[in-house]
Each structure stands twice: as C-alpha cells, then as structure tokens.
Amino acid sequence: MATFIDSIDERTKLAGTNHLEVLLFNLGTSDDTGRNEVFGINVFKVREVLNVPEITTAPEMPEGIEGFVSLRGDMVPIINLQKFCKLKSKDDPSILMITEYNTHVQGFLVSSVDTIQRLNWEQVKEPPQLISKRLAGLVTAVAELADKRLVMIMDVEKVLADAGEFYDDTVFEGIRNLGEKHQYRLLFADDSNIARKQIKKTLDVMGVNHIGAINGAEAWQLLSKMADQCEADGRDITSEIQAVLTDVEMPEMDGYVLTQKIKADKRLAHLPVIMHSSLTAQANQAMGRGVGADAYVPKFQPRELADTLETYLDKVKN
C-alpha cells in the first residue's frame, strides 16, 4: 500500500499551480444514513498506508485515541476517525494511515483507502453549513470529483487539537508584547477554524492588530483593495499592513499562488510573506521559498511564530 504515496518529487511540481493531490478514504457505511462518504487528506501529509497492526491500549486515553503502535521503534498514537466524526458503522476500521503534521507523527484508523486524486483548489469550496454542523466542524472544504462524488477535506488540525495533541495556554508564555512601542497590523489567511483561533491568540498576545481571511482568494481580494487605495492616496502598502501570514492548503487559492501573486505585484512585493503550515517537511519548505516566501513556520508553535513575525515586522518599521 505504500505505493500510494510514491513519487513525491513529481508532487513538488504542483507548487504554484493551485493544485493538490489527496488520498481518498472512507470511514465505513453509516448506520444512520446508509451512505459511505468520501474524505480526502493531502498526500504530502501521509507517510504510509498499511493494514492495522496490533494496537497497545493504555488507561485514561482521550476520547478517540485507540492506543499506540510501535513503528520502527517509535510509539505512534492511533486516532479512530469514526469516533471523532461520531459515525456509527458496522464496518470496523481495517486501514491505518500514518501521517505527519507539524513534526508530530500519528496514525488514523479508517475503513478503506481509494485512490489519489488531483484537484484544482478553485474547485474546492467551503463546506455547506449542514455538512459542517453534522460533522462537528471536522470538514474544512468540499470538492466534486469527475464521477460526481463529493470528497470532504478533513480538518485534521481540529482532530489533533481535540485529541490533545497540540497545545494548552502554556505555549503562549514568553511571547513579547510589541504593541507597547509600535502599532503593527498583519493580514493572515487560513481555512482551519482551530488554526485561525490560535493565530488570533498569538497576535493578541503580541499586541499586533490583524485582519483575517478564510482562504487565499479572500486574502488576495483584501490585499488588492488595500493596494489600490494606497496607490490612489500615494501611500505605501506598509502604511496599512506590515506582513502577510498564509496557510498553504486553502480552498479556491492556496498559499503558494497567493505568495506568487504578492511577490509579482510591485506594490506588494516588499511585504514579508510568512508561510504557516502543518506541512513541515523540507520539500514543502523548499516549495515555499521557491514561490517567494520570506519565512516558513510550523503551525501550532506560537513562540516560533511570534519570534519570526517580530523579526520581519521590525524590518518593515525600520
């Protein structure tokens, strides 16, 4: 099954094309609806796919955590996505997807995996409210496949946050407040609700004003409007904002394309662009630099994010 995620070099060529490749999987046929719904996960986040090995359980584990498996000497936590989606099914999970987010490695139990599909981010849309509500906000985007099936892109960051994988308030300790000396404003774009909450908290602790967008397309509209107004007023864009923080994976326009557009516009090109992503492999960071990003920071590392932002905000002011 590992051949599902071979040829990573080929996938790095997708940077800047507004495409992504997702591994399709399902969680079993719902006892309530009779449907076997299709989900997707970015192939870049999948290390390998294998049959479920023996899982070691431990007492007092968070809900949805099945236990641990030993994988080449490492203890990997295993999360049951059926339970997280509150899906009742007679189909027991039989496949384990080993994934990496923000340098964290974990396994997801699923019913089956299908194929890899290449999608255009322009065709990936914000999920209807009905789907978001029914799946407790665990779906961050929806796309229609060529065979008319709907694939739901899972907000794995929310799954991991709910599983207690990421952070508590101690991660914000030690962040300096910059607002006492300077008034900064930053525009950020991210489609994950849990990620937006942490970005806002980090910026609030830093004393940095912020404007939020839910994807690259919305961020580009905001930036274009600001640039037009500044140009008409004879002002530099840095009189409005001093930096852009962008996720990589976003519906309609991804972070790679957004960064390219910013760096190609002479009114915006000098704005620092910091990529903020759960895709933390060296290949992804190289892709970010290749499209013009000034820095690349892992998600759910508030102190590292704050340190990086402080460096670039100070450069703009000085």
Side-chain angles (χ1 to χ4, degrees):
M1 292 186 186
T3 55
F4 268 118
I5 54 174
D6 288 343
S7 68
I8 194 168
D9 288 341
E10 184 67 25
R11 294 192 173 95
T12 61
K13 297 176 184 177
L14 295 179
T17 66
N18 215 35
H19 286 78
L20 81 157
E21 287 190 339
V22 296
L23 176 61
L24 305 183
F25 65 91
N26 65 67
L27 304 180
T29 301
S30 169
D31 292 343
D32 296 327
T33 66
R35 292 194 299 267
N36 195 336
E37 292 168 329
V38 181
F39 295 86
I41 183 173
N42 191 321
V43 173
F44 262 122
K45 294 180 176 178
V46 183
R47 279 192 174 187
E48 57 186 304
V49 178
L50 57 154
N51 293 317
V52 177
E54 182 178 352
I55 298 175
T56 301
T57 59
E60 299 183 2
M61 289 183 295
E63 185 179 0
I65 305 292
E66 293 291 301
F68 300 85
V69 300
S70 177
L71 191 65
R72 289 180 286 279
D74 293 325
M75 296 304 294
V76 178
I78 304 302
I79 299 171
N80 188 327
L81 289 181
Q82 268 188 5
K83 291 183 179 179
F84 263 92
C85 290
K86 301 188 185 305
L87 186 144
K88 298 177 182 178
S89 176
K90 297 180 179 64
D91 302 324
D92 291 329
S94 59
I95 300 296
L96 181 62
M97 299 190 303
I98 302 297
T99 67
E100 181 175 351
Y101 284 75
N102 306 305
T103 70
H104 292 266
V105 176
Q106 54 280 310
F108 294 127
L109 287 174
V110 301
S111 178
S112 64
V113 293
D114 192 341
T115 58
I116 289 174
Q117 290 275 342
R118 181 168 294 187
L119 302 175
N120 188 318
W121 273 118
E122 293 178 354
Q123 299 170 314
V124 180
K125 304 297 182 182
E126 187 179 357
Q129 187 175 3
L130 180 64
I131 290 178
S132 294
K133 185 175 181 179
R134 181 163 58 83
L135 293 172
L138 291 173
V139 170
T140 190
V142 177
E144 186 175 3
L145 303 177
D147 60 8
K148 303 302 180 183
R149 287 184 298 167
L150 291 180
V151 56
M152 294 178 282
I153 309 299
M154 187 167 286
D155 188 353
V156 181
E157 289 154 5
K158 177 172 172 54
V159 173
L160 296 179
D162 287 351
E165 281 288 300
F166 279 136
Y167 66 88
D168 55 31
D169 283 344
T170 61
V171 298
F172 299 100
E173 294 176 356
I175 294 176
R176 289 204 312 136
N177 187 311
L178 309 181
E180 297 173 356
K181 293 184 177 180
H182 297 290
Q183 287 297 312
Y184 294 113
R185 189 159 70 150
L186 174 148
L187 183 146
F188 71 87
D190 201 300
D191 66 321
S192 169
N193 185 52
I194 193 72
R196 287 197 301 272
K197 286 181 179 178
Q198 199 194 62
I199 291 169
K200 289 177 183 177
K201 178 70 179 288
T202 303
L203 296 175
D204 288 342
V205 173
M206 292 180 70
V208 173
N209 297 319
H210 45 80
I211 306 168
I214 61 171
N215 57 46
E218 183 180 0
W220 180 243
Q221 289 175 354
L222 291 169
L223 283 167
S224 298
K225 186 176 180 179
M226 286 182 207
D228 289 344
Q229 188 61 55
C230 287
E231 189 173 38
D233 295 344
R235 295 182 291 122
D236 189 84
I237 188 65
T238 55
S239 64
E240 285 290 322
I241 58 169
Q242 290 76 53
V244 175
L245 180 69
T246 178
D247 187 17
V248 170
E249 302 173 276
M250 294 181 290
E252 298 187 45
M253 182 188 296
D254 68 20
Y256 295 127
V257 173
L258 174 61
T259 302
Q260 282 182 324
K261 283 180 169 291
I262 292 170
K263 295 302 182 180
D265 189 320
K266 63 182 181 181
R267 304 170 302 175
L268 304 171
H270 56 295
L271 270 178
V273 177
I274 295 93
M275 282 193 162
H276 185 233
S277 177
S278 55
L279 295 167
T280 51
Q282 289 298 318
N284 301 112
Q285 297 186 40
M287 290 159 63
R289 291 191 296 270
V291 296
D294 296 275
Y296 197 108
V297 182
K299 279 187 176 178
F300 302 99
Q301 302 291 334
R303 283 184 288 255
E304 184 176 346
L305 174 59
D307 289 345
T308 301
L309 289 176
E310 183 175 349
T311 297
Y312 284 96
L313 289 171
D314 282 344
K315 285 182 180 179
V316 171
K317 280 293 184 183
N318 296 328

